[in-house]
Amino acid sequence: MSLILFAFVVRVRDGLPLSASTDFEHNRELQERKQQLRTVSKSLVSLPDRGTVKGQQLHIYFSSSEGVSYMSVCHYSLPVAKAFCFLEDLRWEFTARFDSSVVALAARPYPFLEFDSTIQKLKQQYNQSGGPTLEVTLVEVQEDLRIRPPQLINLDEVELTNGVANGHVEQSPAPGQNLRLEPVTPQGILSLVLNIVCASLNVIRGVHLIENTLQDDYEGVWNVVAFLLAFVCCALQCHLYLFHSSQKKLKSFFLLSVILLCNLYLLGLRNTWQLIFHASVASLSTFLTLARKVQHRAEDCGV
């Protein structure tokens, strides 16, 4: 029976996967532990250098040093000292081959695939012999663990910190957070152009009416307000379509309502076809704004 089932090397600052052992086992608990590894790796910055996450049959152990964390999924029967001895050996092998500057500059997941074979050999050595070949190393690790025991990690707290429920639910976007929307569609471009046309018509009529209002002793000032307010709402509709905003649905319907009310108020200054045109453009913009969703980010390359 394998005592060390999976090993994982990640960068601490952002949880970027650097290398991992090849997985030949697919039992359900192992897959759950690997998902938990992914969750823990995203919070390593706020976690202690050593930690343990206990499961039913499988436990997670991790040890971080010099910006890199070495993680493993082990059977509960494997002594804790041997599990951390494995991680220490893994650290020595990794630091001997890769400089810290190379790790810091890594930009894509799993940049050190050649190290996978080293992990496999080390894992096989532990699984066949039951531990390290040098007893003095094991004694040193046992003494170190006695002085600085690994912290037992509450996975619920880690998941809450990440904004993740059981490692599956995506983090809810916070107000004001810069999120990418789905690409602009041809219909969206048409809506923007029509909205710009409506906004231009409103501001031109509004500015023209200001001159007449000044000459007529401020009679019809509310017509000017209606035109300029409709202009502002058209501009805001364009912004709402192009950029992510919190409470988008509420804002969209509010802008639509204001534009419709403004055009109803201007019933005497616009004919029926003009009113239908402005109302249709505003309705189309509202529909496309609500239909344009936040773009789903590519799943993080986890384990």
Side-chain angles (χ1 to χ4, degrees):
M1 179 185 67
S2 297
L3 297 177
I4 300 176
L5 288 83
F6 188 77
F8 191 39
V9 182
V10 300
R11 188 164 61 191
V12 170
R13 77 167 188 258
D14 55 4
L16 179 74
L18 302 176
S19 185
S21 62
T22 305
D23 181 20
F24 295 108
E25 301 189 41
H26 300 280
N27 69 73
R28 181 176 179 179
E29 187 178 0
L30 176 59
Q31 300 310 312
E32 291 176 356
R33 296 294 165 265
K34 288 172 64 179
Q35 183 64 43
Q36 291 170 354
L37 268 180
R38 176 184 173 185
T39 302
V40 173
S41 68
K42 297 298 182 182
S43 297
L44 287 169
V45 173
S46 60
L47 294 177
D49 292 340
R50 281 179 180 163
T52 303
V53 179
K54 290 189 176 182
Q56 296 176 350
Q57 298 289 321
L58 304 178
H59 297 340
I60 293 174
Y61 302 99
F62 67 88
S63 178
S64 303
S65 176
E66 299 179 348
V68 178
S69 187
Y70 308 90
M71 315 178 77
S72 65
V73 178
C74 304
H75 194 268
Y76 76 96
S77 62
L78 181 70
V80 176
K82 288 187 178 182
F84 279 97
C85 197
F86 168 76
L87 296 179
E88 182 66 14
D89 285 343
L90 193 60
R91 183 183 73 84
W92 275 102
E93 293 284 352
F94 188 84
T95 55
R97 296 185 59 179
F98 304 106
D99 186 76
S100 58
S101 60
V102 178
V103 174
L105 293 174
R108 59 182 178 83
Y110 301 104
F112 308 123
L113 287 175
E114 66 272 23
F115 189 69
D116 295 6
S117 58
T118 303
I119 299 177
Q120 289 296 112
K121 291 177 182 177
L122 190 60
K123 192 177 73 166
Q124 186 177 8
Q125 173 191 324
Y126 271 75
N127 285 333
Q128 290 179 351
S129 64
T133 55
L134 299 177
E135 289 298 327
V136 63
T137 305
L138 181 59
V139 172
E140 291 175 354
V141 172
Q142 287 175 328
E143 179 63 19
D144 193 23
L145 290 176
R146 187 185 65 82
I147 298 173
R148 296 187 307 115
Q151 182 174 325
L152 183 62
I153 304 300
N154 185 333
L155 198 60
D156 291 336
E157 294 179 1
V158 174
E159 290 172 344
L160 183 61
T161 301
N162 281 346
V164 177
N166 297 324
H168 293 286
V169 179
E170 295 181 359
Q171 184 175 0
S172 301
Q177 186 177 355
N178 185 23
L179 297 176
R180 296 186 62 181
L181 297 171
E182 293 176 345
V184 175
T185 61
Q187 296 89 338
I189 296 175
L190 175 63
S191 171
L192 291 172
V193 172
L194 293 176
N195 240 329
I196 293 172
V197 171
C198 289
S200 302
L201 291 174
N202 285 321
V203 74
I204 291 172
R205 291 293 302 274
V207 171
H208 178 71
L209 271 182
I210 290 177
E211 300 175 358
N212 296 336
T213 300
L214 293 176
Q215 295 174 1
D216 296 340
D217 194 21
Y218 302 103
E219 291 183 4
V221 65
W222 290 110
N223 291 332
V224 175
V225 172
F227 275 118
L228 296 182
L229 187 58
F231 158 74
V232 172
C233 289
C234 288
L236 290 176
Q237 277 196 323
C238 292
H239 183 275
L240 201 59
Y241 175 77
L242 291 172
F243 303 101
H244 172 74
S245 176
S246 60
Q247 298 181 332
K248 181 172 66 174
K249 186 175 182 179
L250 178 62
K251 293 176 182 177
S252 297
F253 283 118
F254 174 76
L255 293 176
L256 175 62
S257 301
V258 173
I259 291 174
L260 294 178
L261 289 174
C262 288
N263 279 278
L264 285 175
Y265 186 81
L266 298 170
L267 186 59
L269 298 177
R270 280 179 170 159
N271 60 41
T272 303
W273 291 110
Q274 290 174 329
L275 294 177
I276 292 175
F277 173 72
H278 283 270
S280 300
V281 171
S283 301
L284 175 64
S285 178
T286 300
F287 172 76
L288 293 176
T289 298
L290 296 178
R292 192 175 182 216
K293 305 298 183 183
V294 174
Q295 189 173 23
H296 293 289
R297 294 175 296 178
E299 290 294 327
D300 295 330
C301 296
V303 294

